[in-house]
Amino acid sequence: MVGPAASTSDAAGSSRADLVARLRESGMITTAAVEEAVLAVRREHFMPAGTPLEVAYGVDNSVVTKRDEHGVAISSVSAAYIQAQMLEQASLRPGMRVLEVGSGGLNAAMIAEIVGEKGHVLSVDIDAEVVDRAGRLLDEAGYGNRVRVLATDAGAGLLGEDPFNAIIVTVGAWDIAPAWLEQLAPDGVLVVPLIMNGVTRTICFRRDGDHLVSTSMAVAGFVSMQGAGQHAERVFLLPDSTGKQVKLRFDSTIPDDVNLLDGVLGTERTDVWSGASIRHGVSFASLHLWLAWYMPGFCLLAADEGTAVASERGRWFPFGVVRGAAFAYLVVRPDLDGAGVEFGARAYGSDGKLAAAALCEQIRAWDREGRGTEPEFGYWPVGVDRSGIPPEAAVLDKHHGSVTISWPALD
């Protein structure tokens, strides 16, 4: 007779095998080292009590482990596909020294599996409660002597630590902390979810002289960093006649004329279509990145239930632009004889045609020059010689340096 504990263990083992098969099939796992690590670590052990196995082993399920007093997620177990992607990006090998910024336990355990007994894993987090939980779970899972956990702000530096072969950041970072670069070995890699004008991409960087260059990029989302690396968004609220709101979220500076949007939701709607289409099932995540980099006045949208904008869910995406006395955002309509959609812009405000036309102009530019390609990124710390920045690159200034992006089609 098989008892409940054995049945649960068998089910979890089967779930792990199924998860690996799906990650392999989707290309998120490409190496034996990552496959073996995902198979070895009991994912369910690091989840909140009562988390169903189907949630723990879902390919794209992110599970919140802590919220702040406002209900905002401040710690979570990342989705399995994101963890696998980042481990593949880091190209870890046995014997490596690895720093994980942002603790939880699960990812550190998988890193420990890959670097082996001769490797060294340090997992740090600014939240002592998160660190205590991660340390306890790692001990219970048998990794207490293979992973060291520490409550500290990694952005402030880690005294007494030798350089790391890899630094893996598991929280959304608006900038790259100088301390990370100081603690990275000369041939080391930094894998970081970098927030660029509100849009996040997980980028693997290597050194190239005095700056960093990207070796890979992946789409992902993370809870935002706390501590010295925290960066607050600017939010502008647009109320409708019922008091419900559309929120425009700006990564840095709100346009000077944003006050012209007062009462904008009470104006007539304007639609403009770009002529650029895409088939169902084909990713257009590169469009989001393109707009974030090349669209002045770019913002992210959120809409309260009950607003006219929210009622159109499924036909719009939260990427917009402010132009004069109007804002516009990305929308789609059926195209390609039902096999795809056409991109367009929907606007509110007296300058609606101007805002919508500006957004459609960038959609068409992406369609011509950025579609189907993967950009390359660079990071140039403050104080280094910037003459090597490619002339075709766009530049986004941060506190500690500048990020650049170059699209192959623009070379």
Side-chain angles (χ1 to χ4, degrees), residues 282-354:
V282 177
S283 173
F284 54 93
S286 62
L287 173 58
H288 312 159
L289 192 62
W290 181 282
L291 295 175
W293 274 87
Y294 297 106
M295 173 68 69
F298 177 83
C299 60
L300 301 179
L301 272 73
D304 289 347
E305 291 298 335
T307 60
V309 174
S311 69
E312 302 160 359
R313 271 190 222 288
R315 290 172 287 178
W316 63 274
F317 297 87
F319 307 100
V321 61
V322 171
R323 279 288 190 279
F327 76 96
Y329 54 99
L330 182 66
V331 293
V332 293
R333 67 179 178 182
D335 197 16
L336 302 175
D337 296 325
V341 293
E342 179 187 3
F343 297 111
R346 179 158 296 158
Y348 288 89
S350 58
D351 290 324
K353 288 185 178 179
L354 173 67

Side-chain angles (χ1 to χ4, degrees), residues 3-132:
S7 298
T8 301
S9 178
D10 290 345
S14 177
S15 295
R16 275 194 297 283
D18 289 344
L19 175 61
V20 167
R22 284 178 286 162
L23 292 172
R24 270 285 193 186
E25 184 179 357
S26 63
M28 301 301 176
I29 289 180
T30 59
T31 63
V34 175
E35 177 176 336
E36 290 167 5
V38 177
L39 279 173
V41 179
R42 293 183 293 122
R43 191 174 182 85
E44 72 281 6
H45 175 73
F46 295 91
M47 299 288 172
T51 302
L53 283 179
E54 60 268 26
V55 174
Y57 287 97
V59 169
D60 56 0
N61 292 337
S62 175
V63 179
V64 175
T65 55
K66 185 176 181 180
R67 297 182 184 274
D68 67 12
E69 65 274 18
H70 305 294
V72 177
I74 56 175
S75 185
S76 66
V77 179
S78 296
Y81 84 90
I82 292 176
Q83 292 178 322
Q85 278 184 159
M86 294 182 76
L87 292 175
E88 293 287 5
Q89 286 181 283
S91 300
L92 302 178
R93 299 184 305 277
M96 278 188 165
R97 290 178 51 82
V98 182
L99 171 64
E100 179 191 38
V101 179
S103 291
L106 173 58
N107 197 58
M110 291 190 290
I111 294 171
E113 287 287 341
I114 298 174
V115 301
E117 296 288 348
K118 294 184 178 181
H120 176 84
V121 183
L122 175 60
S123 180
V124 304
D125 198 288
I126 196 171
D127 190 323
E129 184 178 343
V130 169
V131 168
D132 288 345

